[in-house]
Amino acid sequence: MRKAFEEAMKAEERPYLICEEDFTRRMRELLGVKNEPKEEDPLDAEDAEYLFRKISLAMKAGNTILLTYDNYGMDVHIAVGKFDKTKGFDEAFRMYAGEEGEREVYENCIEYLEELIDEGIKDGN
């Protein structure tokens, strides 16, 4: 078993693994069967923890971030660089717990934070 695993890891082209649900959806599409709408995963504690880590890294990159977390959801207000009262925040994201479409807002927030982190790394922060 170990030998087979090591050989697979040395291979130039590695197999692409997908979850069972995605595999089933793709096969249904190939067969011409209509898929049911995919259920959205609600935001949970792991998502919040991942967001906190990204916020921490973005702050270390020299940005100002205000985070509010309560039973109803999360607010993330982002100021690029130091906060200026006259300018205010550059971006704001509100994610409600248990609401539809919040995964997209969460992903947009993570994407924006990653851009700030990358810019901070380029600038040497």
Side-chain angles (χ1 to χ4, degrees):
M1 179 85 149
R2 183 179 179 98
K3 185 179 177 183
F5 175 77
E6 288 174 0
E7 287 177 11
M9 293 307 292
K10 289 178 186 176
E12 291 290 321
E13 189 175 313
R14 294 191 179 103
Y16 175 70
L17 301 176
I18 60 174
C19 71
E20 182 180 353
E21 180 182 355
D22 290 340
F23 175 79
T24 303
R25 287 180 149 311
R26 288 182 185 177
M27 291 302 108
R28 289 175 59 89
E29 287 173 5
L30 286 173
L31 296 172
V33 179
K34 185 176 179 184
N35 281 318
E36 297 172 4
K38 194 171 184 177
E39 277 190 34
E40 184 177 310
D41 294 330
L43 297 177
D44 59 13
E46 287 180 17
D47 295 321
E49 181 182 357
Y50 186 71
L51 179 65
F52 297 158
R53 291 179 191 277
K54 290 295 182 180
I55 287 172
S56 176
L57 291 171
M59 289 175 68
K60 288 178 183 173
N63 302 292
T64 305
I65 300 175
L66 171 66
L67 169 71
T68 307
Y69 185 81
D70 57 27
N71 291 343
Y72 304 106
M74 297 178 278
D75 283 312
V76 181
H77 298 273
I78 304 167
V80 177
K82 295 197 183 276
F83 180 74
D84 181 10
K85 287 183 182 179
T86 57
K87 182 177 133 188
F89 291 101
D90 296 303
E91 284 288 335
F93 298 92
R94 175 66 180 155
M95 294 154 274
Y96 294 96
E99 294 288 323
E100 300 240 351
E102 295 308 301
R103 175 68 58 185
E104 184 178 345
V105 175
Y106 172 82
E107 295 295 337
N108 291 339
C109 182
I110 293 294
E111 185 177 311
Y112 188 74
L113 289 169
E114 287 174 346
E115 288 174 15
L116 294 177
I117 293 165
D118 289 343
E119 287 175 16
I121 290 172
K122 288 177 189 172
D123 295 340
N125 290 336

